[in-house]
Amino acid sequence: MNIEIEAFTRVEGNGGAEILIENGEVKDVKVKIFEGPRFFELLTLGRHYWDVPDLEARICAICYLSHSVASVLGIERALGVNVPEEITLLRELGLLGELIESHALHLYLLVAPDLFGYADAIRMASKHGEVVKEGITIKAFGNYIRELLGGREIHGINIKPGGFGRYPTIEELEQIESQCEALLRPARRVVNIFAEQEPLGATVQHYIATNEYLYGDKLIAEDGEKFDYLEHIEEKTLPYSFAKQSRYKGNIFMVGALPRVMLKHDMLTPMAKHFYEEHKEKLASGYVSFNNLAQAIELLYALEKAKEVAKTLLDKGIEGENVPIEPQEGEGIGYVEAPRGVLVHHYRIDEKGNIAYSNIITPTAFNHGIMELSLYEEARKRYGSSDETTFLQKLEETVRAFDPCISCSVHIVRL
Amino acid sequence: MMLKLGVFELTDCGGCALNILFLYEKLFDLLEFYEIKEFHMASSFKEHDTLDIAIVTGSVSTQRDLDLLHYARNHSNYLIALGTCATHGDVQASVEGKIRDKLEKVYGTKANPMKALDSTPIVQHVAVDYAMPGCPYDKDEIYQVLMNLAKGIEPPTKDYPLCVECKLNEYECVLVKRGIPCLGPITLGGCNAICVKSQLGCIGCRGPIPKEANPASEFEILKELGYDEEYLRRKFKTFARGELRW
């Protein structure tokens, strides 16, 4: 006998799960990613590097800016381009905006209905309008930053190799600085809401993140070793899913907010760190559902940090000059922390500046293994002791905790 | 009377469904007229029912997509193809080659147990009542269309090139002044020339202007500026496979 979750809801993209039951016991769980393949690596082959970040943005709408930045970092490393601090800070500001937008969407509009007992945020709004409204306000602010740095709320084209199309003005940066301050108060409240979430899913044994908070030149794991993804991460194809699965030194691992706060809590801003300390034990228990608590802490981090970055830029002033680039042969990897975890863009570029090789691994693909294990553990624990509605509801909540972004998970490739 | 609305997502980046949520407070204005019966990104609620309006986003890239599209068409009175995936196929439809060869390159096998198909726009498979391109589309445009429909008015379709919006905004022409490959002259307007606002060329994400586009002339202009033919061919094809001839 099998139990089907036909399609996960309140997630981006199309996926479901099959729970295999034998002799009254849960034997196996398969997470099926049936979102169609979009072949992004093939799409970028032969394309001029200048146009590639705009194409890669279209992998995912929720985290398009992370894709653009990862793409630009990979291209710049391949071409030996170093950008000044101003450009790095502006990119970081964009990534922080995306973190604010994406976490607010996920926490307030997609997960909170579970905690309050509603099918969606729209239905929840009649009784808890204030919470929904705060979520929408924070999310809209994240999108304001994305539009400013990325050029559009979705699929902007402003983030380019060597710099930006248009640079923000002083007034626009001042706007960011003051808004961050104003939104800290409602964001504190959401941490308390998510601190009450119950433990669900597997407990994580291995965490992977980038070495800097939102990007990096290497990956790190809990033992502190710095490495390139090809050194320790392997991918395999599955017959029941368009997404492949990855292993780190042969083990299942997790990427995302929980791994970030666990591995990089020293880099958190004061208020975020305060809440990390307060909930440290809970987070360290490693249950995947506490990824949402980690996201709530990161929402505070992003608001505090964006304020700090905007202030630094205002103090220094904006020069607004792009670094000139000469096409040449080269290879480079860009590592970025998309809101839901590590994102890898790897390119080889030929002497004319066209893409000769491209490999992308997205966070949801990295998390595919731990997601399956989590569903298995949760299903085993509940099968026979919960009624079917609760059983399925808890399994969906378990998957939702990852903030899976299924659209983006389906075009990982090694050529 | 409330209108019954369903949002269906085929294969895409999720942005077209997400953009509806980006209407923020205006979404609540729409909910004065609409009852959402299906919208899996936003809600766990689902009711199998005949719909007044179905919004379909994404391209047909699997057998499941095709089945879902037929379901949406057969259960709705008015169907909106929303976003360039739905209207023109978008980037995934521009990847050349047969599906089994593409699968082999990516997954290392020609086997196709999940029934992937070559990506095609939904307008190629079913009759649609309204098509709104954009990658992503302008969210205020869908708001207006849904408001019009709620009042019983057939919404107007845009038919002018992007250059019109560029001129209205008084942006400097990046093509003429700076030689940047801008697809504005052959691309359908409606985004308020947002890429040119960033001083970058239009990448053509809303697809060509129906009937009026003159891609051959644009192709010649860009060739004269020194751009490689292969580069231009790919650029022209990116969002609208097969619709531009030059």
Side-chain angles (χ1 to χ4, degrees):
Chain A
M1 189 187 90
N2 295 340
I3 301 174
E4 262 318 300
I5 298 181
E6 200 193 319
F8 301 134
T9 58
R10 281 184 273 141
V11 299
E12 197 212 20
N14 297 310
E18 191 178 358
I19 299 117
L20 280 71
I21 314 280
E22 258 177 49
N23 305 323
E25 259 187 51
V26 175
K27 273 283 163 226
D28 197 9
V29 172
K30 287 176 174 154
V31 171
K32 298 175 169 180
I33 305 291
F34 43 69
E35 177 89 25
R38 290 161 70 219
F39 304 113
F40 268 86
E41 290 85 351
L42 302 182
L43 175 69
T44 50
L45 284 185
R47 292 270 184 166
H48 193 261
Y49 73 83
W50 182 259
D51 291 341
V52 169
D54 304 340
L55 293 172
E56 305 285 35
R58 287 172 164 78
I59 292 173
C60 173
I62 298 188
C63 57
Y64 90 80
L65 199 139
S66 300
H67 281 282
S68 296
V69 173
S71 179
V72 159
L73 292 179
I75 289 166
E76 286 176 353
R77 277 175 199 147
L79 298 175
V81 174
N82 288 309
V83 298
E85 194 193 2
E86 171 183 305
I87 290 172
T88 304
L89 285 170
L90 285 168
R91 283 177 187 159
E92 189 177 350
L93 190 57
L95 290 172
L96 290 163
E98 186 151 281
L99 200 73
I100 295 168
E101 172 273 326
S102 181
H103 280 4
L105 167 76
H106 184 63
L107 292 171
Y108 288 91
L109 303 181
L110 305 183
V111 190
D114 287 330
L115 304 183
F116 289 86
Y118 292 88
D120 53 54
I122 294 163
R123 286 172 174 83
M124 182 178 137
S126 57
K127 277 258 176 67
H128 305 278
E130 205 183 329
V131 180
V132 175
K133 206 168 166 237
E134 277 173 9
I136 289 175
T137 307
I138 297 176
K139 185 176 142 44
F141 173 61
N143 261 350
Y144 168 77
I145 301 181
R146 283 217 297 188
E147 191 173 350
L148 188 60
L149 277 310
R152 282 206 277 200
E153 280 189 336
I154 297 176
H155 302 335
I157 64 164
N158 197 38
I159 291 177
K160 305 304 293 180
F164 291 86
R166 174 189 179 274
Y167 284 77
T169 63
I170 298 297
E171 293 72 30
E172 287 164 339
L173 289 172
E174 282 170 350
Q175 167 83 352
I176 290 179
E177 198 188 4
S178 67
Q179 276 286 306
C180 286
E181 182 64 36
L183 292 174
L184 276 169
R185 209 158 64 105
R188 279 172 76 118
R189 212 158 69 133
V190 83
V191 180
N192 296 325
I193 293 175
F194 282 90
E196 302 304 320
Q197 225 184 348
E198 62 182 312
L200 294 171
T203 53
V204 189
Q205 308 300 322
H206 299 282
Y207 295 120
I208 305 264
T210 60
N211 57 330
E212 299 286 334
Y213 204 88
L214 284 181
Y215 51 89
D217 51 11
K218 295 277 182 194
L219 297 179
I220 52 167
E222 60 285 344
D223 59 6
E225 184 194 345
K226 281 190 185 178
F227 59 95
D228 270 319
Y229 82 101
L230 285 167
E231 290 174 64
H232 295 317
I233 289 173
E234 273 185 296
E235 287 182 280
K236 63 173 181 179
T237 301
L238 304 166
Y240 56 85
S241 174
F242 284 125
K244 294 181 191 175
Q245 265 199 23
S246 305
R247 293 285 183 273
Y248 159 71
K249 295 182 180 174
N251 302 304
I252 285 178
F253 63 96
M254 183 178 178
V255 298
L258 184 62
R260 283 193 293 259
V261 301
M262 292 310 292
L263 297 177
K264 298 185 272 197
H265 50 82
D266 288 345
M267 299 180 207
L268 291 174
T269 45
M271 203 187 287
K273 197 180 258 176
H274 165 82
F275 279 100
Y276 164 78
E277 293 292 341
E278 193 176 322
H279 300 293
K280 198 154 82 178
E281 264 174 56
K282 206 165 196 181
L283 294 162
S285 71
Y287 282 100
V288 298
S289 56
F290 296 140
N291 190 49
N292 295 149
L293 176 58
Q295 286 178 313
I297 292 170
E298 279 193 339
L299 187 60
L300 279 178
Y301 163 77
L303 288 166
E304 286 183 289
K305 188 76 183 177
K307 186 183 161 206
E308 187 187 309
V309 173
K311 188 175 182 314
T312 310
L313 284 161
L314 283 166
D315 290 347
K316 286 174 182 286
I318 299 270
E319 300 235 350
E321 272 181 37
N322 286 6
V323 179
I325 300 177
E326 284 299 317
Q328 54 168 292
E329 248 182 290
E331 182 166 356
I333 305 173
Y335 295 108
V336 161
E337 290 279 1
R340 47 200 62 68
V342 174
L343 171 63
V344 177
H345 279 236
H346 181 180
Y347 305 104
R348 264 203 300 278
I349 297 178
D350 69 17
E351 71 288 349
K352 282 187 186 161
N354 295 327
I355 303 293
Y357 166 93
S358 121
N359 186 32
I360 295 162
I361 309 183
T362 62
T364 302
F366 280 133
N367 278 339
H368 194 210
I370 184 86
M371 213 184 288
E372 268 189 351
L373 181 68
S374 292
L375 278 186
Y376 173 71
E377 301 264 330
E378 199 57 34
R380 232 172 35 146
K381 199 161 69 189
R382 290 187 185 269
Y383 187 67
S385 58
S386 308
D387 64 82
E388 193 174 319
T389 315
T390 315
F391 180 75
L392 292 175
Q393 162 82 12
K394 290 295 165 192
L395 293 190
E396 262 214 64
E397 281 179 33
T398 307
V399 167
R400 211 173 283 133
F402 289 94
D403 190 5
C405 181
I406 292 168
S407 308
C408 79
S409 70
V410 300
H411 11 73
I412 37 174
V413 62
R414 190 155 305 152
L415 290 170
Chain B
M1 242 252 307
M2 296 285 270
L3 293 166
K4 294 172 188 163
L5 177 75
V7 180
F8 298 86
E9 288 173 65
L10 313 185
T11 293
D12 64 6
C13 72
C16 287
L18 186 69
N19 215 12
I20 296 173
L21 301 180
F22 285 179
L23 283 169
Y24 311 124
E25 285 85 359
K26 279 187 173 173
L27 181 59
F28 289 92
D29 296 343
L30 284 175
L31 293 172
E32 305 275 319
F33 303 96
Y34 290 95
E35 201 181 333
I36 297 178
K37 294 291 183 183
E38 150 114 40
F39 188 172
H40 94 255
M41 181 193 280
S43 178
S44 300
F45 178 83
K46 185 177 182 168
E47 199 171 80
H48 294 282
D49 204 343
T50 301
L51 302 164
D52 294 295
I53 296 170
I55 291 176
V56 184
T57 74
S59 69
V60 174
S61 302
T62 60
Q63 185 59 44
R64 179 183 179 276
D65 287 340
L66 193 56
D67 296 343
L68 189 60
L69 172 60
H70 283 136
Y71 176 87
R73 179 67 279 185
N74 294 335
H75 288 79
S76 62
N77 293 324
Y78 194 94
L79 190 142
I80 301 173
L82 187 60
T84 305
C85 287
T87 59
H88 296 81
D90 211 274
V91 292
Q92 62 263 28
S94 78
V95 181
E96 290 169 349
K98 286 279 162 223
I99 187 67
R100 284 183 187 271
D101 297 331
K102 288 185 270 194
L103 287 171
E104 189 179 23
K105 282 183 190 156
V106 172
Y107 300 97
T109 164
K110 277 186 194 283
N112 190 4
M114 304 274 291
K115 297 184 187 159
L117 307 170
D118 283 313
S119 283
T120 43
I122 72 165
V123 295
Q124 205 169 304
H125 299 275
V126 297
V128 307
D129 300 290
Y130 194 83
M132 187 197 297
C135 182
Y137 57 87
D138 176 11
K139 61 185 179 182
D140 289 329
E141 198 180 350
I142 188 68
Y143 175 76
Q144 281 307 330
V145 166
L146 289 174
M147 275 300 185
N148 278 339
L149 290 171
K151 292 169 191 160
I153 303 165
E154 181 62 27
T157 304
K158 287 180 180 158
D159 60 357
Y160 51 84
L162 182 98
C163 294
V164 171
E165 290 172 345
C166 211
K167 297 281 172 293
L168 286 172
N169 279 295
E170 298 181 3
Y171 296 145
E172 184 184 77
C173 178
V174 292
L175 177 63
V176 172
K177 289 279 165 72
R178 291 163 63 197
I180 290 173
C182 176
L183 299 188
I186 54 172
T187 299
L188 183 68
C191 63
N192 207 18
I194 195 157
C195 292
V196 189
K197 183 186 172 188
S198 289
Q199 293 152 43
L200 296 158
C202 163
I203 60 176
C205 80
R206 290 178 57 88
I209 327 152
K211 299 183 197 112
E212 306 286 320
N214 186 353
S217 150
E218 168 93 3
F219 199 83
E220 281 310 311
I221 291 169
L222 293 174
K223 242 170 66 179
E224 277 167 30
L225 283 170
Y227 291 99
D228 179 71
E229 278 193 36
E230 173 61 16
Y231 171 77
L232 295 174
R233 187 182 73 82
R234 282 169 182 267
K235 202 169 181 67
F236 276 43
K237 271 171 54 84
T238 304
F239 293 95
R241 179 177 82 145
E243 289 220 9
L244 283 171
R245 300 269 178 259
W246 58 92

